PDB file of all heavy atoms in Angstrom:
ATOM      1  N   TRP A   2     -74.677 -68.768  51.370  1.00 87.00           N
ATOM      2  CA  TRP A   2     -73.272 -68.854  51.787  1.00 87.00           C
ATOM      3  C   TRP A   2     -73.076 -69.919  52.859  1.00 87.00           C
ATOM      4  O   TRP A   2     -72.049 -70.591  52.901  1.00 87.00           O
ATOM      5  CB  TRP A   2     -72.799 -67.501  52.299  1.00 87.00           C
ATOM      6  CG  TRP A   2     -73.582 -67.019  53.496  1.00 87.00           C
ATOM      7  CD1 TRP A   2     -74.680 -66.227  53.475  1.00 87.00           C
ATOM      8  CD2 TRP A   2     -73.327 -67.336  54.863  1.00 87.00           C
ATOM      9  NE1 TRP A   2     -75.134 -66.016  54.757  1.00 87.00           N
ATOM     10  CE2 TRP A   2     -74.325 -66.689  55.631  1.00 87.00           C
ATOM     11  CE3 TRP A   2     -72.353 -68.099  55.522  1.00 87.00           C
ATOM     12  CZ2 TRP A   2     -74.368 -66.790  57.024  1.00 87.00           C
ATOM     13  CZ3 TRP A   2     -72.402 -68.202  56.915  1.00 87.00           C
ATOM     14  CH2 TRP A   2     -73.402 -67.545  57.648  1.00 87.00           C
ATOM     15  N   TYR A   3     -74.065 -70.083  53.746  1.00 92.00           N
ATOM     16  CA  TYR A   3     -73.940 -71.056  54.846  1.00 92.00           C
ATOM     17  C   TYR A   3     -73.842 -72.486  54.317  1.00 92.00           C
ATOM     18  O   TYR A   3     -73.281 -73.350  54.971  1.00 92.00           O
ATOM     19  CB  TYR A   3     -75.114 -70.921  55.809  1.00 92.00           C
ATOM     20  CG  TYR A   3     -76.470 -71.037  55.151  1.00 92.00           C
ATOM     21  CD1 TYR A   3     -77.101 -72.280  55.030  1.00 92.00           C
ATOM     22  CD2 TYR A   3     -77.122 -69.907  54.647  1.00 92.00           C
ATOM     23  CE1 TYR A   3     -78.344 -72.382  54.425  1.00 92.00           C
ATOM     24  CE2 TYR A   3     -78.357 -70.000  54.046  1.00 92.00           C
ATOM     25  CZ  TYR A   3     -78.963 -71.248  53.936  1.00 92.00           C
ATOM     26  OH  TYR A   3     -80.197 -71.358  53.335  1.00 92.00           O
ATOM     27  N   PHE A   4     -74.384 -72.730  53.126  1.00 94.00           N
ATOM     28  CA  PHE A   4     -74.315 -74.072  52.527  1.00 94.00           C
ATOM     29  C   PHE A   4     -72.865 -74.451  52.240  1.00 94.00           C
ATOM     30  O   PHE A   4     -72.418 -75.540  52.593  1.00 94.00           O
ATOM     31  CB  PHE A   4     -75.143 -74.086  51.239  1.00 94.00           C
ATOM     32  CG  PHE A   4     -75.755 -75.436  50.949  1.00 94.00           C
ATOM     33  CD1 PHE A   4     -76.839 -75.889  51.681  1.00 94.00           C
ATOM     34  CD2 PHE A   4     -75.238 -76.246  49.942  1.00 94.00           C
ATOM     35  CE1 PHE A   4     -77.397 -77.129  51.421  1.00 94.00           C
ATOM     36  CE2 PHE A   4     -75.782 -77.492  49.678  1.00 94.00           C
ATOM     37  CZ  PHE A   4     -76.870 -77.928  50.419  1.00 94.00           C
ATOM     38  N   THR A   5     -72.130 -73.522  51.632  1.00 95.00           N
ATOM     39  CA  THR A   5     -70.709 -73.776  51.348  1.00 95.00           C
ATOM     40  C   THR A   5     -69.925 -73.855  52.650  1.00 95.00           C
ATOM     41  O   THR A   5     -68.991 -74.651  52.768  1.00 95.00           O
ATOM     42  CB  THR A   5     -70.123 -72.654  50.467  1.00 95.00           C
ATOM     43  OG1 THR A   5     -70.976 -71.516  50.538  1.00 95.00           O
ATOM     44  CG2 THR A   5     -70.001 -73.105  49.027  1.00 95.00           C
ATOM     45  N   TRP A   6     -70.317 -73.044  53.633  1.00 96.00           N
ATOM     46  CA  TRP A   6     -69.630 -73.043  54.935  1.00 96.00           C
ATOM     47  C   TRP A   6     -69.762 -74.406  55.599  1.00 96.00           C
ATOM     48  O   TRP A   6     -68.776 -74.977  56.068  1.00 96.00           O
ATOM     49  CB  TRP A   6     -70.245 -71.946  55.806  1.00 96.00           C
ATOM     50  CG  TRP A   6     -69.501 -71.736  57.091  1.00 96.00           C
ATOM     51  CD1 TRP A   6     -68.374 -71.002  57.250  1.00 96.00           C
ATOM     52  CD2 TRP A   6     -69.839 -72.279  58.381  1.00 96.00           C
ATOM     53  NE1 TRP A   6     -67.990 -71.045  58.577  1.00 96.00           N
ATOM     54  CE2 TRP A   6     -68.858 -71.814  59.287  1.00 96.00           C
ATOM     55  CE3 TRP A   6     -70.861 -73.105  58.853  1.00 96.00           C
ATOM     56  CZ2 TRP A   6     -68.882 -72.159  60.640  1.00 96.00           C
ATOM     57  CZ3 TRP A   6     -70.875 -73.452  60.194  1.00 96.00           C
ATOM     58  CH2 TRP A   6     -69.896 -72.979  61.073  1.00 96.00           C
ATOM     59  N   ILE A   7     -70.992 -74.957  55.631  1.00 97.00           N
ATOM     60  CA  ILE A   7     -71.234 -76.278  56.222  1.00 97.00           C
ATOM     61  C   ILE A   7     -70.438 -77.345  55.470  1.00 97.00           C
ATOM     62  O   ILE A   7     -69.838 -78.229  56.063  1.00 97.00           O
ATOM     63  CB  ILE A   7     -72.750 -76.597  56.221  1.00 97.00           C
ATOM     64  CG1 ILE A   7     -73.475 -75.709  57.249  1.00 97.00           C
ATOM     65  CG2 ILE A   7     -72.996 -78.074  56.534  1.00 97.00           C
ATOM     66  CD1 ILE A   7     -74.985 -75.671  57.057  1.00 97.00           C
ATOM     67  N   LEU A   8     -70.422 -77.245  54.140  1.00 97.00           N
ATOM     68  CA  LEU A   8     -69.680 -78.200  53.318  1.00 97.00           C
ATOM     69  C   LEU A   8     -68.189 -78.148  53.659  1.00 97.00           C
ATOM     70  O   LEU A   8     -67.541 -79.188  53.808  1.00 97.00           O
ATOM     71  CB  LEU A   8     -69.906 -77.859  51.840  1.00 97.00           C
ATOM     72  CG  LEU A   8     -69.707 -79.021  50.859  1.00 97.00           C
ATOM     73  CD1 LEU A   8     -70.811 -80.065  51.028  1.00 97.00           C
ATOM     74  CD2 LEU A   8     -69.683 -78.508  49.432  1.00 97.00           C
ATOM     75  N   GLY A   9     -67.659 -76.955  53.808  1.00 97.00           N
ATOM     76  CA  GLY A   9     -66.251 -76.803  54.156  1.00 97.00           C
ATOM     77  C   GLY A   9     -65.939 -77.374  55.526  1.00 97.00           C
ATOM     78  O   GLY A   9     -64.921 -78.039  55.718  1.00 97.00           O
ATOM     79  N   VAL A  10     -66.811 -77.137  56.490  1.00 97.00           N
ATOM     80  CA  VAL A  10     -66.611 -77.668  57.848  1.00 97.00           C
ATOM     81  C   VAL A  10     -66.648 -79.191  57.825  1.00 97.00           C
ATOM     82  O   VAL A  10     -65.819 -79.847  58.460  1.00 97.00           O
ATOM     83  CB  VAL A  10     -67.686 -77.093  58.806  1.00 97.00           C
ATOM     84  CG1 VAL A  10     -67.677 -77.832  60.136  1.00 97.00           C
ATOM     85  CG2 VAL A  10     -67.449 -75.601  59.033  1.00 97.00           C
ATOM     86  N   LEU A  11     -67.595 -79.764  57.095  1.00 98.00           N
ATOM     87  CA  LEU A  11     -67.698 -81.226  56.994  1.00 98.00           C
ATOM     88  C   LEU A  11     -66.447 -81.802  56.346  1.00 98.00           C
ATOM     89  O   LEU A  11     -65.914 -82.820  56.802  1.00 98.00           O
ATOM     90  CB  LEU A  11     -68.940 -81.606  56.183  1.00 98.00           C
ATOM     91  CG  LEU A  11     -70.257 -81.560  56.955  1.00 98.00           C
ATOM     92  CD1 LEU A  11     -71.429 -81.723  55.990  1.00 98.00           C
ATOM     93  CD2 LEU A  11     -70.314 -82.621  58.038  1.00 98.00           C
TER      94      LEU A  11
END
Side-chain angles (χ1 to χ4, degrees):
W2 61 268
Y3 55 90
F4 211 74
T5 18
W6 188 82
I7 289 164
L8 204 69
V10 169
L11 280 170

